[in-house]
Each structure stands twice: as C-alpha cells, then as structure tokens.
Amino acid sequence: MRHTLPIAPQFYVTAPQPCPYLEGRMERKLFTALQGDNADKLNNSLSQQGFRRSQNVLYRPSCAECSACLSARIDINRFRPSRSQRKIARRNDQLVRRATSPWATEEQYELFRRYLDVRHADGGMADMDVFEFAAMIEETPIRSRVVEYADPDSNALIAVSLTDVLEDGVSMVYSFYTPDLPQASLGTYMILDHVEIAREAGLPYVYLGYWVPGSQKMGYKSNFSGLEVYLGGAWQVMTDPKSHGADLHPLSTDPIAEQVANIHLPDRRPTRR
C-alpha cells in the first residue's frame, strides 16, 4: 500500500487595500487555508507566530512598507488588574456567562447589528448580512466556543465573544456587545473575564488580536498589564506602549519568500481524535 503525507500548507498574499488604522497606507496580508486533519496543530503553531484566524483562514499582516500591526497576548501569570479594571469587573459581576458551541442565533445577530451601527458603521463589517454572520461564527475547523453574557433578570443578551481554545491559551477572535451601556465598559470586562476563563482552564495566555501603536481603535489593549507583542519573530514583554512606533521604513518588512521560509510548521502527521 502506498502512503502519502498531508500536503504542507500553501501561503498567499492579499492584494493591497486601504489600511483601516493608518491613513494613507495600504494593507496587505499573508494567509493560508485552515483545513484538514492538522487544522488544530496548524492553528496552534501559527497563532504562536502572530497569526490570527478568520473562519477557515489564518492570516498575518505583511505590508510592504509598514510593520505597525503587532499581535498581542496577555500573560495571565503577570497580569494584575488596575484599579479601574477591578471596578469594571465588580460593575459587571452580575452578568451570567454561558459558553456554547459555535452556532449563530438571531439574538446574536441583532446584537451584532446594533453594535456595528453604533460603533463601526463605516467599518469593513458594516454590510455583513445574517448569512455572513452565521459563517463567521460557525465556519471553524477547530475547537471554538461562543461565550455569551446575559442579564440575570431579563436573560437578555448583553455581550458575545467568539473564542478559540488553543493549546496555550484562549483567543478572542471577535467580540461585540450592546452599545446601550457605555459606562459598563463591556469590551474591557470580556477581556478580564477571559483572563479568568484561561486561569480556570490552566492556560497561560489570552490572545487579543492586533495592537497598533497610536491607534485609538486598538489603544485599549495596552491598558492590560502582562501584555506581550510578537515582534522580530518572538514574543516580547511590552514595557512602555509609547516606546513602540509605527515602523514605516521601506525595509521594515522582510520579503514574502523570507517570511514564509521562517514560519515554523507543525508535525504534519494527522492529529488522532
């Protein structure tokens, strides 16, 4: 009998598009498909190298003349909540957390639409319909959960996070919440609660996606102690966020071929389930 090994993942580059974080700059991504028996292994390995998941694709910024976007994660062993974060946790401690399989619901979509209309009306997801939303939630070849937060009295849905479970942490793929409670700081609360989720599971990290120096949309991530950023091919402890700048030098990004050559791929033998 002839035996074959699974084909190694192929990497591609997106066409340049306007950057949502730095005006006048073009954004480009390096990506690969997430599928097959090795999906969990590939997701774990590339997440540890600064990649993020979107449905069945793993991607990492690879802009030609910019390296501003830095993958960020919280080391929960070094995390210490600030005074304001402790207040936010107490303010929301009555919310009921429920983790479910990655299935989309009408209630989730209605909350998602209200969140976008108020917070990101001009963003890339503004035109997402219910079918595209369902695909975002449900098209996952790995271990994912929908973490919902509900009002204990009315049972109304208040906040949602699509969360992946990695071998070394939890990854907040996308989160949204009611725009009617700005004083609750629900975005911060969900991160604080995911620190607790990771701690309860014995996992060391909470992956937050990308942080961009000077970006108002991403600035809140630097408010968490124990933060690390993926820079220069390794995770580095963030000391002073102001010490990081948007590197716009034309030589700040390695050529695509060199980037791909430096990616560490997992053992390609299929994972036994």
Side-chain angles (χ1 to χ4, degrees):
M1 179 182 290
R2 186 177 180 180
H3 296 277
T4 59
L5 289 175
I7 298 173
Q10 300 296 306
F11 290 87
Y12 307 91
V13 180
T14 62
Q17 299 178 358
C19 178
Y21 308 117
L22 295 173
E23 187 175 353
R25 288 280 163 175
M26 300 300 287
E27 177 186 60
R28 188 178 66 176
K29 293 185 176 73
L30 179 68
F31 70 95
T32 188
L34 181 63
Q35 58 192 6
D37 293 332
N38 284 299
D40 275 313
K41 285 185 177 180
L42 185 62
N43 188 51
N44 282 315
S45 179
L46 294 193
S47 293
Q48 293 168 9
Q49 297 173 71
F51 280 76
R52 294 286 291 170
R53 184 182 74 83
S54 177
Q55 295 172 237
N56 59 356
V57 169
L58 290 171
Y59 69 92
R60 187 172 71 183
S62 179
C63 303
E65 298 181 0
C66 177
S67 57
C69 294
L70 304 175
S71 189
R73 70 184 185 185
I74 298 172
D75 179 349
I76 66 171
N77 289 322
R78 294 191 303 105
F79 172 73
R80 300 292 183 273
S82 65
R83 182 179 179 183
S84 64
Q85 288 168 348
R86 290 195 296 270
K87 288 182 178 179
I88 290 169
R90 290 194 297 268
R91 194 179 302 149
N92 294 284
D93 63 2
Q94 82 286 355
L95 294 180
V96 177
R97 180 215 297 163
R98 54 198 186 206
T100 68
S101 298
W103 295 107
T105 67
E106 290 185 8
E107 187 178 22
Q108 291 170 7
Y109 181 67
E110 290 173 0
L111 180 62
F112 174 74
R113 284 295 348 153
R114 287 198 291 123
Y115 171 79
L116 287 185
D117 291 345
V118 173
R119 299 295 299 269
H120 301 287
D122 58 348
M125 292 184 171
D127 297 327
M128 184 178 287
D129 62 27
V130 66
F131 301 106
E132 293 168 323
F133 173 78
M136 179 181 75
I137 298 293
E138 298 175 6
E139 288 186 9
T140 170
I142 62 168
R143 187 182 176 195
S144 301
R145 295 290 183 270
V146 172
V147 183
E148 298 182 335
Y149 299 88
D151 182 274
D153 298 321
S154 65
N155 203 37
L157 192 61
I158 301 297
V160 176
S161 174
L162 175 61
T163 302
D164 288 348
V165 183
L166 308 177
E167 64 182 7
D168 68 345
V170 293
S171 176
M172 300 180 71
V173 177
Y174 191 77
S175 58
F176 53 95
Y177 47 87
T178 177
D180 303 330
L181 300 170
Q183 72 283 359
S185 301
L186 290 167
T188 293
Y189 173 71
M190 281 193 285
I191 294 176
L192 294 172
D193 192 59
H194 273 69
V195 169
E196 292 306 311
I197 291 173
R199 183 173 284 124
E200 292 166 4
L203 298 171
Y205 300 110
V206 175
Y207 288 80
L208 299 180
Y210 294 107
W211 174 73
V212 182
S215 168
Q216 290 185 339
K217 291 181 180 180
M218 298 293 186
Y220 69 93
K221 297 179 183 180
S222 63
N223 295 329
F224 291 85
S225 64
L227 197 69
E228 298 180 350
V229 291
Y230 192 77
L231 179 64
W235 289 98
Q236 302 182 18
V237 175
M238 178 183 284
T239 51
D240 180 6
K242 294 180 181 178
S243 67
H244 293 271
D247 192 347
L248 305 180
H249 192 279
L251 300 181
S252 63
T253 304
D254 292 331
I256 294 297
E258 187 173 337
Q259 292 182 45
V260 173
N262 289 329
I263 292 172
H264 303 292
L265 296 175
D267 182 348
R268 288 184 283 146
R269 287 175 295 183
T271 302
R272 292 183 178 180
R273 296 182 181 276

